[in-house]
Amino acid sequence: DTGGSILGVFPHATFEEETLQLEPGDVLVAFSDGVTEAENGAGEQFGDARLASTALAHRDAGPETLRDRLLDAVRQFSAGKAQADDLTLLVLRYLGG
């Protein structure tokens, strides 16, 4: 729930910080706004809820497969509509120390 402005645009921007403790097997998905703001033909956005639902449905997959499933879901939702922004995803699985 912690967030702020986009990174790198405003030279004096301040951001909230939050620390999370990852447990072995936890997955971190970082994404650009182009992923959640991808639109379908009706102008509806993919959104955070669809992203989370898709990630949960494939949470046991490897990072590469999870990334591919997320991007596939966005592309299917958009049904060929041209993207207005980039689709950038980073998927990490914490294996523990």
Side-chain angles (χ1 to χ4, degrees):
D1 293 326
T2 300
S5 180
I6 56 177
L7 293 174
V9 175
F10 306 107
H12 303 291
T14 59
F15 300 92
E16 298 176 36
E17 292 184 22
E18 184 173 357
T19 300
L20 300 172
Q21 179 64 48
L22 297 177
E23 299 295 329
D26 282 352
V27 174
L28 173 71
V29 177
F31 56 94
S32 66
D33 62 346
V35 174
T36 53
E37 293 176 1
E39 293 184 355
N40 63 14
E44 181 182 14
Q45 293 187 345
F46 188 71
D48 292 335
R50 281 188 187 85
L51 181 70
S53 174
T54 303
L56 285 171
H58 300 285
R59 67 180 170 263
D60 294 327
E64 297 87 2
T65 301
L66 177 53
R67 178 205 58 213
D68 293 345
R69 296 297 79 77
L70 290 167
L71 290 173
D72 288 346
V74 172
R75 289 183 182 118
Q76 288 176 4
F77 174 82
S78 299
K81 183 174 179 181
Q83 283 301 118
D85 204 349
D86 66 288
L87 295 178
T88 303
L89 281 165
L90 173 67
V91 179
L92 302 170
R93 180 176 303 279
Y94 178 66
L95 300 177

